[in-house]
Amino acid sequence: MPFRNIVTKLVHVLPTASCVLLAIAASFSSAENATSEIEAPRHVILIIGDGMDDQQITIARNYLSGAAGRLLLDEMPIRASSQILTIEDTLDGKPVYVGDSANTATSMASGELTSRGRISTRAGSNQAIPTIVE
């Protein structure tokens, strides 16, 4: 199955997959720490909270745990955020201030700017972009 088809199918299951991956990461982390010395990580699980900004996390925290509460997300050892620029669907595209899941995931996986609706292709040319997976 071509890589683009796999990515397209994954886009539909990512919200559920993120929850499952978080649970798996938590179970591996506690099991490894209990049985062995501290080692360098062998695997990295990247969870992308699509459309999830600090405001959405704060709303969830307030709703689920109260204003002084904590979420499992707050306890993660490494957490980061990124801002992705989206451009018009032309070769020299101007900035567009609202992106979508396809182009932002492509930008994170490839380091290239793309336009809305793009999965691993360049804006304006449909040329394939190699991703970190490849």
Side-chain angles (χ1 to χ4, degrees), residues 61-74:
R61 185 183 300 110
N62 290 345
Y63 179 77
L64 296 171
S65 304
R70 305 275 295 163
L71 298 173
L72 179 60
L73 182 64
D74 297 318

Side-chain angles (χ1 to χ4, degrees), residues 83-98:
Q83 181 178 351
I84 304 295
L85 177 64
T86 300
I87 58 175
E88 293 175 338
D89 196 17
T90 60
L91 291 175
D92 296 322
K94 295 179 182 173
V96 174
Y97 297 103
V98 178

